[in-house]
Amino acid sequence: MITKKMEAALNEQIKEELASAYLYLSMSAHFAAEGWDGMAGWMRVQAGEEQEHAMRLFDHIVDRGGKVKLHALAAPETKWASPLAAFKAAYKHEQHITGCIHGLVELAQKEKDHAAGAMLQWFVTEQVEEEDHASKVVQLLERMGTEGRGLVIADRELGRRVAEKE
Ligand code: OFO
């Protein structure tokens, strides 16, 4: 049986993951409106992954006899000064999420909740990938330049991202 503290913290993390999905969907909408279809697609795939992350936590709470409680989501930003600014914001956001996950791992240790600890290890590894993906795009956009042909090539490259099976 999940403890009340762990249940509340994981419910909070479901909100964080869905807020991530919301943020990336908003970025996708922004890129689509600006005609950057490749980057819009990249963000859409990312938003889908975030929903899957939320569902992992959802299922864990249910499997451990707890109750899922969904919290309200704040509206995300809708505009970014440039593609580079958006991906920098995404990278910063992932660093924030990594901090949340590490906090949950520490709570699971304190609560002696080994099942939550084991489940959260997947997220620890995933966050290494999440930060790596976002920072690599930042690097790519810095190299390709913020306008013109370089950005068109980067957009095409980023559009090749497809949803991975977890
Ligand atoms: Fe769920 O990893 Fe990104 O936010």
Side-chain angles (χ1 to χ4, degrees):
M1 184 86 187
I2 196 166
T3 65
K4 281 290 153 210
K5 251 192 193 160
M6 202 69 228
E7 180 188 274
L10 292 179
N11 273 318
E12 201 48 50
Q13 190 60 27
I14 289 177
K15 186 190 83 180
E16 291 282 351
E17 300 293 343
L18 292 175
S20 301
Y22 232 39
L23 173 66
Y24 297 137
L25 260 187
S26 186
M27 287 179 174
S28 180
H30 169 72
F31 284 135
E34 300 278 315
W36 296 115
D37 292 350
M39 290 186 259
W42 195 99
M43 284 296 176
R44 192 175 170 132
V45 171
Q46 186 63 34
E49 281 196 10
E50 299 302 350
Q51 288 175 53
E52 284 170 19
H53 295 171
M55 292 316 293
R56 266 181 188 260
L57 297 162
F58 186 111
D59 290 341
H60 178 83
I61 293 173
V62 172
D63 291 348
R64 297 275 290 139
K67 170 120 196 257
V68 170
K69 187 171 171 222
L70 298 176
H71 298 294
L73 294 178
E77 281 180 52
T78 55
K79 249 181 151 354
W80 289 268
S82 65
L84 179 59
F87 276 96
K88 275 187 175 171
Y91 180 37
K92 197 166 163 216
H93 180 75
E94 286 308 325
Q95 289 171 312
H96 160 72
I97 296 295
T98 299
C100 295
I101 297 296
H102 291 179
L104 287 170
V105 170
E106 281 155 31
L107 179 66
Q109 283 162 354
K110 228 166 99 192
E111 294 280 289
K112 298 193 186 348
D113 188 336
H114 302 299
M119 181 273 297
L120 287 164
Q121 282 311 308
W122 182 90
F123 281 89
V124 172
T125 308
E126 175 69 7
Q127 279 313 118
V128 174
E129 208 176 89
E130 292 282 83
E131 286 195 29
D132 182 51
H133 283 169
S135 75
K136 289 238 167 76
V137 178
V138 167
Q139 227 172 42
L140 174 77
L141 293 176
E142 279 172 345
R143 275 191 199 136
M144 299 302 264
T146 50
E147 55 194 27
R149 217 174 131 70
L151 199 51
V152 171
I153 295 168
D155 185 59
R156 198 172 308 145
E157 181 61 30
L158 292 170
R160 284 147 59 129
R161 181 180 187 192
V162 288
E164 293 159 13
K165 271 263 153 273
E166 282 175 357

